[in-house]
Amino acid sequence: MTEATSDHMAVPGTHLGSRAEYAARKLQQLAEQAEPGEHLGTKVALRALCGVSVGTFNEAVKLAQSRGFVVSRSGPGGGIFAAERSPIARLGNSVLALDGSATSVADAVRMRDALDPLLVDDALWHSSATDIRTMRECLQEMATARDSGDAVAFVHANWALHRRIAEVSPSAILRSVYVSLLELIQAHTRGVGGTETQPLPEYVAARYLLHERLVDAIEARDQAEARRLIHEHNNTETAR
């Protein structure tokens, strides 16, 4: 039996990325119900529980680890363990697992959101063809991370796009404050997870489309559309 056939029997109607996401969410659920450091099971037992192939399960473990929910250990007594609890901060309809103060990161996110409209306005009138090309390169990195199911890489590419937009502003003070906020958020983020209301792949796909349209609006000097999009970006649960 091939890997693809095995996985389709376990999770009908899904492709490889979503099968790995399905297994990663199963591991996340087990970890959330366990004590920090608790042994969740061997890889063989957990793979059987998830009903996926070896390759897909290994990808699922990488996803769950990148989001800060599990730890994989090899050797005697090894297996998959619930990770130590981390502070968390909300970012739209996703959750950031942090290595520091959740309050500080949440404050930085709020301040960043407040500055976004100013920076988008500056980008509308000051972006060069080179600036737009660089923004689209950031979008390509976001698309690559989206397609590979790497939520952490996607969020970092997303922040790189926001930084590039900020760098267009002629205001040195505005640029400096905004970039400092992004660096604080990025420095303390160790994982990204979805929520009960929206799985992470759906959130990532929606957020990519919104940022693609935002860059389109900046290139077209469409102020009304750009302002609408950045308002949606900061005021809905699907697009931060």
Side-chain angles (χ1 to χ4, degrees), residues 21 28 63-69 89 91 93-98 150-156 159 189-194 200 203-204 207:
E21 178 64 32
Q28 175 181 333
L63 288 172
Q65 283 190 120
S66 73
R67 297 168 188 172
F69 292 106
L91 180 70
N93 206 29
S94 69
V95 174
L96 303 181
L98 310 172
D150 189 338
V152 173
F154 181 89
V155 169
H156 281 262
W159 289 331
T189 299
R190 26 175 317 213
V192 185
L200 193 58
Y203 170 69
V204 165
R207 193 165 72 178

Side-chain angles (χ1 to χ4, degrees), residues 98-178:
L98 310 172
D99 64 4
S101 169
T103 300
S104 296
V105 173
D107 285 346
V109 170
R110 289 179 61 227
M111 294 171 67
R112 187 211 69 168
D113 288 352
L115 297 179
D116 271 329
L118 296 175
L119 291 163
V120 167
D121 270 355
D122 281 353
L124 280 164
W125 309 120
H126 297 284
S127 293
S128 66
T130 299
D131 292 325
I132 297 298
R133 184 167 58 252
T134 306
M135 291 178 199
R136 294 203 180 279
E137 289 172 358
C138 293
L139 282 171
Q140 184 55 53
E141 291 180 7
M142 291 170 64
T144 299
R146 175 202 61 193
D147 295 343
S148 67
D150 189 338
V152 173
F154 181 89
V155 169
H156 281 262
N158 175 273
W159 289 331
L161 171 60
H162 280 277
R163 179 173 185 149
R164 190 65 191 86
I165 292 172
E167 289 171 348
V168 174
S169 174
S171 171
I173 293 176
L174 184 55
R175 290 196 311 268
S176 177
V177 171
Y178 190 86

